[in-house]
Each structure stands twice: as C-alpha cells, then as structure tokens.
Amino acid sequence: MKIQCARENEVLEIVSCGRWPEHCPVELQTHIGECSMCRDVLDVALALHEDRNAVHSNANIPSADLVWWRAELRARQEALRTVSRPITLAETFGAAAGIGVALAMAKSAWPWLKTSFALPDLSVFSFSQAGLAIAIAVAVLVIAPLAYLALSDE
Amino acid sequence: MRDITISELQRLQPATIEADDAFQMDQDSFRALYDRTSRPLWVYLYRRTGDAELANDLLQETFYRFLRIRANYESEAHRKNYLFRIASNLASDNHRRKHAHVELSGEHESIACITTDSAGQTAQRTDLARAMARLKPRQRDALWLAYAEGSSHEEIAQVLGVKVTSIKLILFRARRKLAQLLRGQRV
C-alpha cells in the first residue's frame, strides 16, 4: 500500500510559504486535484498551519527572565530540601524516642502516681498494664514517624 | 515542610544552592534558547491541553526539566526536539491524570480568549479542534509536528520516541482521518 506521495513535500512547501492557491504552479494544482494523498496533505496542512499562526501571534507567554527566576527558585528549594531531609528524619525519630522514654518512665512511676493522685486502677481491663504500655509505646514509635513522613510535603 | 534555620543555611555549601551550577547553561544562553523555542512550544502545549494557564505551567516545567538535565546535544535541532519531547511527555502525563479528553466547549472558550479574529475563522478552528480531539494523542502530536511545525520524520520520531518507519504510517492514517473529518465525512 502506498502511504506517501513523492510530491507531498512540494505541497507542504507551498502551504508553509503561504503560496496556496494564488502562487501555486498550475501543474501542481492539477496533480493535487488528481492525487487523493496530496489533497489530504493540502487540507490538513492548511488547517493546521492557519491554526498555528492564529494561536502563535496571540500567544501571551511568560518572559525568559521570569521562567529563569522561577527555575532558579525551585532549584534552590530542592537543594535545601535535599540537605535538610536527614535533619528532619533525625528530629522525627528523636521525638518518637523521647515519647517512648517518657512512656517507659511513666510506667515505672505508675505505682507512685496511682497513690499520689488517686488514679483509677488499670488492672480492671482485660489485658495487663504492661501490655497496654507496650502497645501504646510501639504505636507511638511506629506510627508517629510514619504519619509525619506521610503528611509532610517532602 | 518545616522552615530551615539560619545555621543550617550557613552549613550549606554555596554550590548546592547556586542555580547556575545546577543548570546546564547560563542565563544569557537560556534567554537566547527561550526566545527561539518558547513560542512554538507554548502553542504546541496549548493545542495539547486547550488551556492557556496550563500551557504556561507546562512550559515552565518543560524548561525547568530541560535545564536540570546535563546532556550533550548534537545540534540546535536536537535541543529543540528534546524540549518537544519533554513537553509531549508532560502533556501526556497531565492527560492521563485528568482521565479525560479536552472539553470541546472549554477549548472553544480558550481559543476565543486568545485570538481576535472573525467568527468564521473561530468556527473553522473549532471544527479543527473537534476533529483533532477524535484522533489518538500520538496521531495529534505527529500531525502537529509535521504540518504545523514543519518537522521532518526523523525529528518527529525523536520527539515521540518511535521508529522513523512508524512515523510514515502514523502520519498517513492520522492525515487521512483528519482530512475526512474536516470534510465532514463519516470516519
């Protein structure tokens, strides 16, 4: 199957130079009339060329300096983010470890706290105080960093 | 994200935040390249998205990605094709994210916003937009690059990331379909 006419480029040149139909040689016009492939090329090229020129001349694009400035700003932000990522991670895990230590201390001081402040007895629950404390500590240590990483915009 | 402290800023090496070092060219070279390529790129992006604001955003992203890539370009044409390739990929990603074709009514409005020609010409372009919307994205890209930008088959192949031999067939099918649609024939 023939998918390209040998004179396609001539048709394209006539369209791109704006010479259709006034300045197109009669012989090429005759060929276009007989060749369905070149007729397709002419119709499509004319439509797209006119469309491009109309949008092209009315396009309101940002200036080179503005695009450069925005790119520069973004490159800086990305560099800063890359550098500060380990610090943020360390802070997150530090905070989670701090909460874990605080919970462990609260657990050891639980008998004293219970008598001093008349707190309710947690042994009435179906699982032990130790199990509860461990569950909370693990949840905080695992969930807090994960939640921070998921919710932060990094 | 938390704000960075002054002490952290001081610890940063100047090279890590110097944009000129992060980019593959200096500002003057960029300006020259931008003046040569931004307008056809914007028109291409606008035609792909049908939204002037989105075309602006994608143009910014295209140049940003281009600046961050340290590649060796054989020629000016190669550089331009690379820009079109980035733009094409960004437009495709955006299209996939939206999971929908360009709304023809919205496209019509956008055209009316940025052009100041007669009602007849606007109607003609709406017909073209409607016909183009019925083509596959790759067919649209190939037609636009070949007949609006005047790119060669080799250049189109570079932009679309396909073999040169495939381009001829893609163009043939797309051209025939678009011509029939523009003539109002059933396809």
Side-chain angles (χ1 to χ4, degrees), chain B residues 3 37 66-67 70 87 110 117 127 134 142 150 173 181:
Chain B
D3 292 335
T37 55
F66 175 81
L67 284 168
R70 293 187 183 275
S110 299
D117 49 20
D127 287 345
R134 292 186 60 182
R173 286 180 179 153
L181 287 166

Side-chain angles (χ1 to χ4, degrees), chain B residues 8 14 40 43 55 59 65-66 77 80 99 118 126 163 176 181:
Chain B
E8 284 163 10
V43 175
L59 185 77
R65 291 192 185 191
F66 175 81
K80 187 183 166 195
H99 289 292
S118 69
T126 307
K163 288 179 183 169
R176 192 172 54 180
L181 287 166

Side-chain angles (χ1 to χ4, degrees), chain B residues 35-51:
Chain B
D35 289 344
R36 285 194 302 274
T37 55
S38 61
R39 202 162 277 267
L41 261 177
W42 188 89
V43 175
Y44 168 74
L45 287 167
Y46 174 71
R47 269 277 145 257
R48 278 291 302 265
T49 59
D51 181 340

Side-chain angles (χ1 to χ4, degrees), chain B residues 79-104:
Chain B
R79 205 179 281 239
K80 187 183 166 195
N81 294 339
Y82 203 80
L83 275 167
F84 268 96
R85 183 163 193 173
I86 299 172
S88 169
N89 289 339
L90 286 173
S92 298
D93 289 348
N94 179 70
H95 180 78
R96 270 194 293 273
R97 270 200 302 272
K98 285 189 170 176
H99 289 292
H101 287 283
V102 173
E103 289 289 330
L104 286 175

Side-chain angles (χ1 to χ4, degrees), chain A residues 78-146:
Chain A
E78 281 183 10
L80 290 176
R81 202 173 296 156
T82 307
V83 170
S84 62
R85 190 170 293 140
I87 302 168
T88 310
L89 273 174
E91 282 177 353
T92 309
F93 282 102
I99 293 169
V101 169
L103 280 172
M105 285 173 71
K107 186 196 167 289
S108 354
W110 181 249
W112 178 79
L113 287 169
K114 204 166 64 173
T115 49
S116 304
F117 298 100
L119 294 173
D121 189 2
L122 289 180
S123 61
V124 296
F125 293 108
S126 57
F127 48 89
S128 69
Q129 282 179 26
L132 178 70
I134 289 167
I136 292 171
V138 167
V140 168
L141 283 170
V142 174
I143 293 168
L146 288 177

